[in-house]
Amino acid sequence: MGLLYLGTPLAWDDAKKYADHVRTHGITQFLHIWDRVKDKNGDELLWGDEIEYMVVSFDNEEKNAKLSLRQTEILAKLSAIVNDISSDHDNSIAVPTFHPEYGRYMLESTPGSPYTGYISDLLSVEKNMRYRRSLARKHLKPNEIPLTFTSFPRLGAPGQFTEPYHNPADAVSSHSLFLPEEITNPHARFPTLTANIRRRRGSKVAINLPIFFDEETPKPFIDPTIPWDRSIYSEDPEAKNGAALPDHIYLDAMGFGMGCCCLQLTFQACNVNDARRLYDGLIPIGPILLALTAASPVWRGYLADVDCRWNVIAGSVDDRTEEERGSKPLKHDRFVIPKSRYDSVDLYISEDWMNRPEYNDNPLPIDEGIYDRLRKHGLDDLLSKHIAHLFIRDPLVVFSETIDQDDETSSDHFENIQSTNWQTLRFKPPPPNSTIGWRVEFRSMEVQMTDFENAAFSVFVVLLSRAILSFNLNFYIPISKVDVNMARAQERDAAQSGKFYFRKDVFTNPSPYSSGSSSPVDGVPRPKEKKLRNCFPPVPAPLNGHHKGPVEDEYEEMTMDEIMNGKSDRFPGLLGLVEAYVDTLDVEAEDLAKIRSYLNLVRDRSNGTLLTAATWIRNFVRSHPAYAKNSVVSQEINYDLLVAVDEIERGARSASDLLPKDYTGGNKDQGSI
């Protein structure tokens, strides 16, 4: 998460003095990168995943599952183990790496080196994920388990939810009523980020999730676990003064959001134009896969009437002032900003003819001075707006040692703002003095309980990304409708009961799937490819011109089943598109069967044959013998839930409503590299 300097972070009153300095030099750094690599072309497909774990400590006598706050110790041990394994192998073996995250109970893991476009790499993802989990598990305490679980159900609930226990009264950076200071990674960046968001905003963050009303849930629901009368910090009365809403679960700290775990994927594109095409193509996919991977229905010990983490994280880092939120007239601030800096994408950026101006229909505040500077430097309108929109934000953490940088060799000021715009997609320029190319990061998915599921969704997105570029697919809908989809995706049971706006006709060519990679030559089918391509010709405009009817006629509401599995001849569904792309590849029968097992999981989740993780968790809680039908997820229920999650991952417990019947757990397959 962001840049981890060893240095002295400035408190907000000092840091804000350097906001213009960071923005000005950040743009200078970007322009140096742009001048060097704007024409960079021919990069091969390199991609990778990031998986986050929460380390849970199980007290079997007290029947309590708690978050282990040993991140620093665990990471030091894993780093030494990884170094030992690396020294015992030649350079052809890339050992996975582990990294710190915001929560002191969290671990982030990545493959030791990027995957390539070879089918063998695609099929190694699950083994690599399993290996990472096994490696971490072997070097934890016997009662500690690394779980890929999106949100800890009793984070901030009464009682002990961390090991060891710490008192929320000591939350000096967040001033939270519920979370202790020690929940946060001790690196100076993280408590400073937490405190500076609160100070810049002028209050604590305030997140309110609707309570799930069960048979015995009080109406109205006024949360009895909120310490309404605490008087330690100046913000303590905020809950009583309206920040905590009736009938809602109130969360008041960055840790509730940035303490969540997720699954993210990053792709290197052939060139900057392909990166922009891919970025745009995946924007409408973000909400769909958020709904399909929904995995977080429990917050602060209560069942919520939502299934996803997204709005929690958006609220947890919402540093906008009252003026920027539109609650007060602009006087001291420059912009009214419609969204948190963690939210959905606001702008399509490709210059292809498919991207009609009407699609960018959201309000888009930009820094006009930065926009003009970029345009004068030769950048096009859309990319200039993209950067100028990101740079309406202030840098939240400024280190005194890095205020003055060499703008030709550093991108730290640029990344300071770029990396704290946490959106569903991130468009990533190459680092300076690096062989890395233009990249796109896909960020909306919730992490799943098993490595099989995480691999399945990773493989699906990789293949879909190739189909978008190979078949010149057009997924554009107005970006305001993507925002509607993001809201709908988080609703309870959205994958089965919800509807989403999606484009009706996704093909840009007269015949489906015709492109440079698959169309026949003189009636002879092209040979199948042994590797996922990364470089594609520009999207050709139709020979007879592009008919532009009303944008409203281009999309309609569809169910998840229709979006994924098809609705008409002109829309075969995302899975149909992926399968058509797989048909262009030269894949051995055994490998094809494995790919199809991943696609079948996605298919079964989308048509309701298998439950989403969120629905499975909700059902587990509501069917637990100790559940009082009052929305409360007790210590005992939480313990049994997380024990069950671990047993399912290991294959010691069947979950035929969540996973395929032939699922093989971690006990039998611990992965390999």
Side-chain angles (χ1 to χ4, degrees):
M1 176 185 162
L3 307 167
L4 296 188
Y5 298 112
L6 292 175
T8 308
L10 301 180
W12 176 245
D13 284 343
D14 295 319
K16 67 182 180 182
K17 300 172 186 176
Y18 294 97
D20 286 336
H21 175 90
V22 171
R23 277 190 288 265
T24 298
H25 286 272
I27 294 300
T28 300
Q29 292 171 358
F30 171 75
L31 291 175
H32 281 302
I33 294 171
W34 176 258
D35 289 342
R36 282 195 295 265
V37 297
K38 66 179 185 295
D39 298 320
K40 182 177 172 64
N41 190 41
D43 285 330
E44 66 174 310
L45 174 61
L46 297 175
W47 67 280
D49 68 81
E50 299 173 26
I51 285 193
E52 293 163 345
Y53 311 83
M54 56 179 63
V55 179
V56 178
S57 174
F58 287 88
D59 183 338
N60 297 328
E61 290 188 6
E62 296 292 328
K63 295 201 77 175
N64 194 6
K66 298 166 284 185
L67 293 167
S68 171
L69 303 184
R70 296 196 311 116
Q71 182 195 76
T72 303
E73 179 184 343
I74 292 167
L75 284 173
K77 188 171 187 177
L78 286 173
S79 178
I81 295 297
V82 165
N83 289 337
D84 288 345
I85 296 172
S86 298
S87 64
D88 291 339
H89 293 83
D90 60 38
N91 292 334
S92 65
I93 303 295
V95 184
T97 52
F98 294 86
H99 316 274
E101 254 297 343
Y102 179 90
R104 201 179 293 201
Y105 52 87
M106 298 172 71
L107 306 174
E108 179 186 279
S109 76
T110 56
S113 62
Y115 302 117
T116 70
Y118 287 106
I119 303 298
S120 57
D121 274 17
L122 194 68
L123 296 175
S124 71
V125 175
E126 182 182 355
K127 292 181 181 296
N128 193 290
M129 290 177 175
R130 287 178 181 265
Y131 180 86
R132 285 178 253 165
R133 188 192 299 264
S134 299
L135 187 64
R137 188 171 190 133
K138 287 175 184 176
H139 299 287
L140 299 176
K141 291 181 178 180
N143 68 323
E144 291 177 336
I145 294 172
L147 297 180
T148 44
F149 203 75
T150 298
S151 63
F152 188 75
R154 286 186 57 80
L155 180 68
Q160 184 177 356
F161 55 85
T162 63
E163 179 59 47
Y165 170 79
H166 293 282
N167 193 326
D170 297 328
V172 293
S173 60
S174 72
H175 295 183
S176 175
L177 297 171
F178 313 107
L179 300 185
E181 185 70 16
E182 291 80 4
I183 207 83
T184 306
N185 184 319
H187 186 284
R189 166 183 163 83
F190 295 102
T192 303
L193 186 60
T194 304
N196 284 359
I197 286 174
R198 174 176 53 79
R199 289 167 181 153
R200 188 188 186 284
R201 176 184 170 91
S203 66
K204 288 192 298 183
V205 297
I207 305 132
N208 285 275
L209 300 177
I211 192 78
F212 171 75
F213 279 104
D214 214 333
E215 295 174 24
E216 302 298 328
T217 308
K219 291 186 179 181
F221 172 76
I222 306 296
D223 188 354
T225 69
I226 295 176
W228 298 99
D229 296 319
R230 194 182 81 169
S231 182
I232 299 174
Y233 302 108
S234 60
E235 298 92 343
D236 282 354
E238 289 177 2
K240 186 162 51 177
N241 292 340
L245 301 179
D247 297 337
H248 286 74
I249 306 162
Y250 172 59
L251 313 173
D252 69 344
M254 184 174 175
F256 284 109
M258 286 300 188
C260 293
C261 298
C262 65
L263 167 65
Q264 296 172 348
L265 303 172
T266 300
F267 305 94
Q268 176 175 268
C270 177
N271 52 49
V272 65
N273 290 332
D274 276 7
R276 293 167 72 169
R277 285 175 59 193
L278 182 59
Y279 179 88
D280 282 11
L282 289 174
I283 287 172
I285 306 302
I288 306 307
L289 287 187
L290 175 61
L292 209 50
T293 58
S296 43
V298 187
W299 299 88
R300 210 165 54 70
Y302 292 109
L303 277 175
D305 207 31
V306 297
D307 277 357
C308 299
R309 79 198 188 285
W310 193 266
N311 281 353
V312 175
I313 315 185
S316 77
V317 294
D318 190 356
D319 69 327
R320 293 175 300 161
T321 66
E322 287 185 289
E323 292 181 18
E324 289 171 332
R325 298 197 301 272
S327 301
K328 289 184 176 180
L330 281 179
K331 183 177 180 182
H332 303 289
D333 295 306
R334 300 189 299 159
F335 309 101
V336 174
I337 305 177
K339 297 180 184 178
S340 167
R341 60 198 300 155
Y342 192 115
D343 218 308
S344 52
V345 171
D346 281 318
L347 188 74
Y348 295 113
I349 62 174
S350 174
E351 287 195 290
D352 285 341
W353 60 268
M354 292 186 290
N355 183 12
R356 298 174 59 176
E358 297 95 318
Y359 299 141
N360 282 322
D361 63 337
N362 266 353
L364 191 80
I366 63 171
D367 186 309
E368 295 287 353
I370 289 175
Y371 174 81
D372 290 342
R373 185 180 170 194
L374 294 168
R375 292 290 280 147
K376 288 175 183 176
H377 198 85
L379 275 75
D380 60 89
D381 172 65
L382 286 175
L383 191 55
S384 297
K385 282 181 177 174
H386 170 76
I387 300 294
H389 177 58
L390 298 183
F391 272 63
I392 64 173
R393 309 288 180 172
D394 284 341
L396 290 170
V397 180
V398 176
F399 288 86
S400 60
E401 295 85 351
T402 62
I403 290 171
D404 295 315
Q405 302 174 8
D406 181 346
D407 291 340
E408 292 192 16
T409 60
S410 175
S411 63
D412 289 350
H413 283 324
F414 173 75
E415 288 297 337
N416 192 328
I417 293 180
Q418 155 94 343
S419 67
T420 55
N421 275 272
W422 298 278
Q423 298 180 334
T424 42
L425 274 292
R426 182 175 282 151
F427 177 72
K428 303 176 76 169
N433 304 314
S434 167
T435 60
I436 295 172
W438 295 89
R439 293 152 296 152
V440 174
E441 185 178 18
F442 186 76
R443 302 172 43 81
S444 67
M445 291 188 290
E446 309 227 310
V447 76
Q448 305 295 283
M449 300 180 200
T450 71
D451 297 312
F452 171 74
E453 296 165 277
N454 289 317
F457 281 105
S458 298
V459 167
F460 170 75
V461 176
V462 173
L463 293 173
L464 181 61
S465 76
R466 299 307 94 188
I468 290 170
L469 296 172
S470 180
F471 298 151
N472 295 331
L473 299 175
N474 181 354
F475 290 158
Y476 284 108
I477 60 174
I479 210 157
S480 62
K481 297 301 182 187
V482 178
D483 283 355
V484 172
N485 286 348
M486 281 297 294
R488 293 181 178 184
Q490 300 172 69
E491 295 173 356
R492 175 166 49 91
D493 196 36
Q496 287 311 302
S497 60
K499 284 194 172 185
F500 305 90
Y501 292 105
F502 211 81
R503 191 175 182 90
K504 293 186 282 188
D505 184 355
V506 300
F507 298 110
T508 58
N509 296 288
S511 56
Y513 319 129
S514 61
S515 76
S517 67
S518 58
S519 56
V521 178
D522 297 328
V524 179
R526 285 184 180 271
K528 295 195 173 188
E529 298 184 329
K530 296 181 179 295
K531 188 177 180 181
L532 310 184
R533 284 178 62 188
N534 203 42
C535 293
F536 303 87
V539 181
L543 295 176
N544 59 350
H546 179 43
H547 173 69
K548 291 187 177 181
V551 166
E552 294 75 18
D553 293 343
E554 297 178 349
Y555 59 88
E556 64 183 358
E557 291 181 292
M558 298 186 196
T559 65
M560 181 67 73
D561 188 20
E562 290 169 338
I563 291 170
M564 298 302 295
N565 299 304
K567 185 174 182 181
S568 66
D569 292 341
R570 297 302 298 170
F571 184 62
L574 299 182
L575 281 161
L577 295 167
V578 166
E579 287 169 339
Y581 174 72
V582 172
D583 285 344
T584 71
L585 303 175
D586 185 4
V587 186
E588 298 293 333
E590 184 178 349
D591 294 343
L592 185 59
K594 187 65 176 176
I595 291 172
R596 284 183 172 154
S597 73
Y598 294 140
L599 300 183
N600 284 339
L601 174 79
V602 178
R603 176 177 292 105
D604 288 344
R605 287 276 168 86
S606 63
N607 65 24
T609 301
L610 294 176
L611 303 176
T612 63
T615 298
W616 186 90
I617 292 166
R618 191 181 299 276
N619 291 350
F620 182 97
V621 169
R622 298 187 71 200
S623 61
H624 193 282
Y627 180 63
K629 300 182 180 180
N630 60 355
S631 310
V632 175
V633 180
S634 67
Q635 175 180 304
E636 177 186 355
I637 296 172
N638 183 58
Y639 171 87
D640 288 343
L641 169 65
L642 296 181
V643 166
V645 169
D646 174 54
E647 290 175 344
I648 289 169
E649 188 282 319
R650 292 187 289 110
R653 178 189 181 111
S654 174
S656 58
D657 52 350
L658 179 72
L659 294 165
K661 290 184 173 59
D662 59 354
Y663 167 73
T664 301
N667 284 350
K668 292 185 178 179
D669 183 356
Q670 297 185 8
S672 61
I673 52 174

